[in-house]
Amino acid sequence: MTDTAFVKLNAVAKRWNGQLGVEDISLRIEEGAFVALLGPSGCGKSTTLRLLSGLEIPDEGQIHIAGTDVTHSPPAERDLSMVFQSYALFPHLSVAENVIFGLKVRRVPKAERAEKLRRALEITGLLGLEHRKPAELSGGQRQRVALARAIVAGKRLCLMDEPLSNLDAKLRNAVRKDIKKLQRDLGITVVYVTHDQTEAMSMADMVVLMKDGRIQQVGTPQDLYSRPENTFVAEFIGAPPMALIDGAALDGFSSGETIGLRAEHIAIADAGAGRMTCHVAECEFLGSETFIGLTHDGAKGLTLKLPGLVQKAAGEAIDITFNDADLHRFDGDGQRLNTT
Ligand code: ADP
Ligand code: MG
């Protein structure tokens, strides 16, 4: 059977003086997908993206884009566009000049340039700002210029490295939606690097969660949330993260295993009638609901989610209960034991 994936990485590794960069990265990305490379700082997200772009060449493995082996090809031969955290705009050029810079270099005819510029400015909501210099724009507008520049390039594959991390929370939310809509409308394939699980979960069709240079799990946001392959994934995905309970603290489980439990599956029990007795650490009011952080000697991350405003005194005892069907079981190495 032929493998028709649009982008393929096969056992790719990159090391610096023997030091870990990324190790054994294998991925298949379908055309038109929005893929998020997610993980904590230093886990190898940017390195993976730079290997895809040709800014780095792997020590091992192969990379294919659109059926071509590009493992050793320079960036210009990979037929892709890139958007970085630093907008990388020319400060002395106008918005319009920045957007069409690449087209000019490639000697695209003037009429075609004008039409592509108009469409890219329209899509990114920058019409009317074409004569401004980057210094005369807000952070969100500058990021849109960088996006417009990637759009006019007209590539089927676009790589983005933390493009929103310089924006404030509200703007980040707005531009996040813009990027997602753009990707859908244009039908392009996006590989998007972020350390923000909310961003990855809300934008991506497929999330690649990394740690220490290695892939921990690949799947839909729903897969990672409801079927974490290990305790790292369980704790990284979700707000609040999954609580982890020492098996020894629960009747019917052994001390060698770890039990995972999501906040939405925890209920308050009558005093003395619960499966665990916890104590209130703090209450976090979020408007529509309140998160109540709980402490217990054999558990971490236990959180109760209650609707509306709830105030409880720190130290107050609360008995909690939950169903076995909602528990995630992990072995002594933190690997998932549940088969479903
Ligand atoms: P992330 O983007 O997930 O924060 P990076 O891919 O930038 O992580 O880095 C992964 C690892 O590779 C880190 O340990 C980092 O220090 C190392 N690394 C990245 N680039 C270089 C480089 N040019 N030289 C040496 N080490 C590097
Ligand atoms: Mg990075």
Side-chain angles (χ1 to χ4, degrees):
M1 210 180 79
T2 50
D3 185 348
T4 56
F6 183 51
V7 177
K8 281 183 280 183
L9 289 93
N10 178 38
V12 169
K14 174 74 188 172
R15 309 171 189 108
W16 280 279
N17 306 321
Q19 290 265 53
L20 187 78
V22 296
E23 209 63 50
D24 195 22
I25 302 291
S26 293
L27 270 180
R28 300 172 76 266
I29 299 174
E30 301 300 331
E31 179 147 33
F34 193 116
V35 177
L37 301 182
L38 172 68
S41 178
C43 73
K45 306 179 296 292
S46 294
T47 301
T48 305
L49 204 73
R50 290 169 63 82
L51 287 162
L52 267 177
S53 72
L55 293 170
E56 304 286 353
I57 299 297
D59 296 323
E60 287 171 25
Q62 300 82 36
I63 300 174
H64 287 79
I65 298 176
T68 306
D69 186 337
V70 297
T71 311
H72 298 281
S73 309
E77 286 171 23
R78 298 192 182 203
D79 204 30
L80 46 81
S81 56
M82 290 180 247
V83 180
F84 295 105
Q85 173 181 356
S86 61
Y87 319 116
L89 302 179
F90 296 112
H92 57 289
L93 296 184
S94 68
V95 166
E97 289 163 332
N98 264 291
V99 172
I100 60 162
F101 185 82
L103 300 184
K104 261 183 157 168
V105 171
R106 279 159 38 209
R107 297 180 198 281
V108 172
K110 202 169 177 182
E112 189 182 333
R113 274 191 338 235
E115 173 50 28
K116 287 195 158 148
L117 171 66
R118 196 198 54 75
R119 169 136 168 80
L121 294 178
E122 190 180 8
I123 291 174
T124 50
L126 288 169
L127 280 175
L129 299 178
E130 46 268 60
H131 301 299
R132 294 222 191 146
K133 297 278 167 60
E136 299 163 329
L137 300 174
S138 70
Q141 289 167 334
R142 280 179 221 163
Q143 193 50 271
R144 285 192 167 87
V145 177
L147 283 173
R149 188 177 48 189
I151 291 163
V152 299
K155 307 296 187 187
R156 289 153 75 196
L157 177 60
C158 183
L159 309 180
M160 304 192 186
D161 196 344
E162 311 237 13
L164 307 185
S165 47
N166 287 339
L167 309 183
D168 66 50
K170 197 170 171 190
L171 200 54
R172 206 154 57 215
N173 242 314
V175 183
R176 192 193 283 174
K177 288 182 185 144
D178 294 343
I179 292 179
K180 183 68 196 164
K181 182 167 187 316
L182 260 178
Q183 179 262 339
R184 276 214 199 100
D185 291 353
L186 298 173
I188 56 176
T189 308
V190 168
V191 183
Y192 186 101
V193 164
T194 179
H195 63 271
D196 179 343
Q197 65 95 22
T198 311
E199 204 166 284
M201 298 290 274
S202 62
M203 294 176 90
D205 310 310
M206 178 168 117
V207 177
V208 179
L209 180 52
M210 300 179 67
K211 181 198 174 199
D212 298 338
R214 290 178 185 272
I215 294 178
Q216 301 298 307
Q217 189 167 351
V218 178
T220 62
Q222 171 74 9
D223 284 338
L224 271 72
Y225 187 83
S226 56
R227 205 182 174 288
E229 283 299 327
N230 60 45
T231 49
F232 173 77
V233 180
E235 285 192 292
F236 200 86
I237 301 291
M242 188 179 280
L244 296 179
I245 306 166
D246 183 341
L250 268 187
D251 279 350
F253 296 90
S254 62
S255 59
E257 62 181 303
T258 300
I259 310 301
L261 179 59
R262 289 249 176 240
E264 57 269 36
H265 296 136
I266 303 177
I268 299 182
D270 291 336
R275 296 180 71 172
M276 295 172 80
T277 300
C278 308
H279 292 90
V280 172
E282 76 280 306
C283 297
E284 194 184 354
F285 175 55
L286 298 171
S288 64
E289 57 190 352
T290 303
F291 287 178
I292 300 172
L294 301 174
T295 56
H296 185 283
D297 281 346
K300 56 176 175 166
L302 281 172
T303 306
L304 201 54
K305 255 202 270 197
L306 297 175
L309 171 63
V310 181
Q311 282 164 322
K312 293 206 178 280
E316 183 180 327
I318 294 186
D319 271 28
I320 61 168
T321 189
F322 36 82
N323 296 319
D324 278 353
D326 294 323
L327 298 179
H328 302 254
R329 302 175 68 164
F330 304 96
D331 67 17
D333 297 321
Q335 297 302 309
R336 185 178 189 84
L337 290 167
N338 308 53
T339 49
T340 56

